[in-house]
Amino acid sequence: FLSLVAEFCCGFFVLLILGNFWFLAVLYLLWLYLDWETPCAGGRRSQWVRSWTVWKYFREYFPIHLIKTSELNPNHNYLLGFHPHGVLVAGAFGNFCTDPPFKNLFPGLTPYLHIMPIWFGCPFFREYIMSAGMVSASKESVSHVLSNEGGGHASVIVIGGAEESLNAHPGSLTLNILKRKGFIKMALKHGAHLVPVFSFGENELFKQVANPKGSWLRNVQEKLQKIMGFALPLFHARGVFQYSFGLIPYRQPIHTVVGSPIPVKQNLNPTTEEIDQLHALYLQKLKKLFEEHKSNYGIPAHRSLIFE
């Protein structure tokens, strides 16, 4: 969905350049230059955009649910690790970029969904995603959110990143997380409490062309991902009036479960050992969250998370 909107915005910008409105394009390029750092400085959210009626229908389509398991004190800042990436990341968008799900369950906290910086280079599209509460996933951006004095900010990071979308097959429980420790270091540097979040149903929205590790398709996808910064999963789902083929996601319920916070004491210069210890604790809490709730969402008792 975001890719389609981005393509439309870029196409509109090209039309301005080629048409008789090139001066508007020049003015926008000037604005882009002056506003370039905003995605790394908290963005520019709009309560009006986040409350559009269309998001209510978007959440109801699947439907998307946000489940609270513990209180999050708004006097602290938090780093929420979102799992899994899936193809669409629908749970992250529906719960953290639209109102009122998160606002109602966690009053006093402002969520910021961190996404790849490349998206903020797209004309006009960048204005829309910032208005929804999305900001850059750069270190500077995460630091800006977590540095808020007095607390009340929640950085939401899809830990597995674009690489994990290549594992987004129905029934898949594989997470790319063993080598991803940057978010742990950021939490320690800012004393932000860590919160594991698991979105049940995220991988059920699309069927992806078989791409097992080692296959020619997976090798090509991984090479392109390293070059472009984002992955290109080959997926399909349903159409508008039929269920056999199309790009509209299947109507599968998504239950995004927010776990209990892991208290983190600020450490401006954490050692590798301290990072590894907190990372291991995070994995333990994430697995526990999954095990405690999997039976509620149709996951067989013998299935468990696989960490890669």
Side-chain angles (χ1 to χ4, degrees):
F1 174 74
L2 289 180
S3 297
L4 292 175
V5 177
E7 290 175 9
F8 173 81
C9 291
C10 289
F12 179 71
F13 183 72
V14 171
L15 288 177
L16 287 181
I17 296 176
L18 298 178
N20 295 323
F21 302 97
W22 58 268
F23 62 94
L24 292 178
V26 172
L27 287 176
Y28 184 80
L29 286 175
L30 176 60
W31 161 255
L32 194 63
Y33 173 78
L34 296 173
D35 195 57
W36 190 254
E37 297 299 325
T38 300
C40 294
R44 187 170 45 249
R45 70 178 51 223
S46 165
Q47 191 60 43
W48 175 66
V49 172
R50 289 174 59 89
S51 301
W52 281 351
T53 302
V54 67
W55 303 136
K56 174 177 177 290
Y57 294 116
F58 173 81
R59 295 191 301 267
E60 291 178 350
Y61 171 81
F62 298 96
I64 296 175
H65 304 280
L66 185 65
I67 292 86
K68 175 182 179 179
T69 64
S70 178
E71 294 292 338
L72 297 182
N73 189 333
N75 293 325
H76 297 295
N77 291 319
Y78 297 88
L79 194 158
L80 278 62
F82 184 92
H83 313 270
H85 184 286
V87 171
L88 190 63
V89 206
F93 178 81
N95 287 310
F96 303 116
C97 295
T98 72
D99 286 331
F102 189 85
K103 183 170 65 174
N104 285 352
L105 288 181
F106 301 100
L109 281 181
T110 302
Y112 295 82
L113 179 60
H114 296 270
I115 64 175
M116 292 184 298
I118 190 174
W119 291 112
F120 296 97
C122 180
F124 301 116
F125 180 67
R126 70 188 296 275
E127 318 304 335
Y128 158 67
I129 56 179
M130 279 197 290
S131 67
M134 291 180 243
V135 292
S136 172
S138 67
K139 292 181 181 179
E140 295 79 9
S141 177
V142 177
S143 291
H144 184 277
V145 173
L146 297 181
S147 296
N148 188 52
E149 294 185 8
H153 280 189
S155 278
V156 183
I157 301 177
V158 184
I159 305 300
E163 182 183 356
E164 194 173 82
S165 67
L166 299 178
N167 291 327
H169 296 272
S172 174
L173 296 174
T174 300
L175 304 181
N176 293 65
I177 191 172
L178 291 182
K179 296 181 181 179
R180 295 177 181 267
K181 300 179 182 180
F183 73 104
I184 298 292
K185 188 174 182 179
M186 294 299 293
L188 281 166
K189 282 191 170 184
H190 295 281
H193 295 350
L194 283 166
V195 182
V197 178
F198 195 87
S199 196
F200 292 89
E202 199 74 46
N203 284 339
E204 316 305 314
L205 306 184
F206 297 92
K207 292 180 180 178
Q208 190 172 168
V209 175
N211 60 341
K213 290 197 176 223
S215 65
W216 70 269
L217 176 58
R218 186 61 167 256
N219 291 336
V220 170
Q221 289 175 320
E222 290 177 347
K223 288 179 181 179
L224 289 175
Q225 191 263 325
K226 290 179 181 179
I227 295 173
M228 299 184 297
F230 56 90
L232 292 173
L234 299 179
F235 59 89
H236 66 88
R238 54 162 292 186
V240 179
F241 301 111
Q242 44 77 27
Y243 288 80
S244 58
F245 189 83
L247 294 179
I248 298 177
Y250 292 116
R251 298 192 70 176
Q252 295 290 339
I254 298 172
H255 295 86
T256 303
V257 184
V258 181
S260 301
I262 303 171
V264 177
K265 185 177 181 180
Q266 187 173 25
N267 183 348
L268 296 177
N269 296 291
T271 64
T272 300
E273 183 181 0
E274 290 169 331
I275 293 173
D276 289 343
Q277 288 178 348
L278 184 55
H279 186 260
L281 177 60
Y282 179 86
L283 294 182
Q284 177 186 331
K285 294 296 184 181
L286 174 59
K287 186 173 183 179
K288 180 182 178 183
L289 176 70
F290 174 81
E291 293 294 332
E292 288 178 345
H293 294 273
K294 68 180 183 181
S295 61
N296 297 331
Y297 308 114
I299 308 295
H302 68 278
R303 299 292 309 280
S304 296
L305 292 178
I306 300 173
F307 296 144
E308 290 187 345

